[in-house]
């Protein structure tokens, strides 16, 4: 069973994440979307909201599961018996950042990181831009799956 973890904050889930996950489904038997919990970080959406957005977006996809975790991603991979970490790459900034993390994870474990290049039309989307649009009352609905809605 080829199982991958897709870790992130997902504050909130965007069409960029959605694209990487749906393309990842063709490569892996199972993808666990792992919402990282960091007590020092301030989030716009609660853990429950973030989980709910993702669970609803993938409710028709049995290969996608949603979990939350604290601590090192490689420890969570071991716990879940996952040999792969899936990450998306948008730009050179992502590459430099991800390279250091992937090398560190390789130093700490045997877990292999697999990168998918963002689809061309999605490369500008990030959770932080979505939060900015929301904060300023803009129309965010074209940037996120339709399960991400603010009541
Ligand atoms: P983090 O909390 O690590 O910043 P994010 O929730 O922002 O996590 O993103 C998780 C993963 O999704 C990362 O690998 C990131 O590169 C990828 N990602 C985010 N937005 C996009 C996008 N528009 N296209 C492709 N990958 C993306």
């Amino acid at each position: 069973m080829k199982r991958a973890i897709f870790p992130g904050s997902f504050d909130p889930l965007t069409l960029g994440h959605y694209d990487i996950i749906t393309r990842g489904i063709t490569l892996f038997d199972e993808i666990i979307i792992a919402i990282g919990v960091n007590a020092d970080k301030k989030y716009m959406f609660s853990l429950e909201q973030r989980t709910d957005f993702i669970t609803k977006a993938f409710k028709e996809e049995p290969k996608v599961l949603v979990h939350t975790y604290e601590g090192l991603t490689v420890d969570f991979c071991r716990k879940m018996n996952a040999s792969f970490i899936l990450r998306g790459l948008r730009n050179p900034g992502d590459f430099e950042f991800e390279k250091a993390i992937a090398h560190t994870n390789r130093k700490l474990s045997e877990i292999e990181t697999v990168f998918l290049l963002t689809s061309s039309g999605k490369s500008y989307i990030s959770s932080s831009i979505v939060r900015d649009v929301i904060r300023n009352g803009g129309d965010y609905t074209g940037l996120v799956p339709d399960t991400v809605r603010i009541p």
Side-chain angles (χ1 to χ4, degrees):
M1 151 86 97
K2 275 203 174 79
R3 182 180 289 129
I5 300 285
F6 185 56
S9 309
F10 307 104
D11 187 30
L13 177 73
T14 70
L15 287 178
H17 297 131
Y18 190 84
D19 171 61
I20 298 292
I21 297 160
T22 48
R23 287 163 57 216
I25 288 170
T26 64
L27 301 175
F28 299 105
D29 300 312
E30 192 171 283
I31 296 181
I32 298 175
I33 304 180
I35 310 176
V37 179
N38 179 345
D40 298 333
K41 229 167 148 177
K42 272 254 161 231
Y43 299 101
M44 173 174 271
F45 295 96
S46 69
L47 192 54
E48 290 68 30
Q49 284 174 305
R50 285 180 282 146
T51 307
D52 196 52
F53 293 152
I54 302 171
T55 309
K56 287 187 176 142
F58 293 99
K59 70 170 189 305
E60 309 290 349
E61 184 42 78
K63 288 168 83 178
V64 175
L65 308 176
V66 188
H67 281 262
T68 59
Y69 77 107
E70 272 179 272
L72 291 178
T73 306
V74 290
D75 288 339
F76 184 66
C77 288
R78 286 196 195 100
K79 185 176 155 201
M80 301 310 288
N81 217 356
S83 308
F84 303 94
I85 294 174
L86 174 65
R87 295 291 283 178
L89 289 178
R90 287 166 286 195
N91 50 46
D94 271 358
F95 175 75
E96 289 302 331
F97 178 74
E98 295 290 342
K99 187 172 76 158
I101 295 176
H103 281 150
T104 307
N105 286 338
R106 276 298 281 177
K107 188 88 183 157
L108 300 179
S109 72
E110 294 295 303
I111 290 151
E112 205 55 89
T113 303
V114 175
F115 297 100
L116 286 181
L117 198 60
T118 178
S119 296
S120 55
K122 310 274 184 329
S123 64
Y124 66 96
I125 303 176
S126 68
S127 292
S128 64
I129 286 183
V130 171
R131 290 196 300 275
D132 229 39
V133 172
I134 292 171
R135 241 180 243 121
N136 292 290
D139 180 9
Y140 61 94
T141 56
L143 304 170
V144 294
D146 49 18
T147 59
V148 179
R149 290 293 180 264
I150 299 150

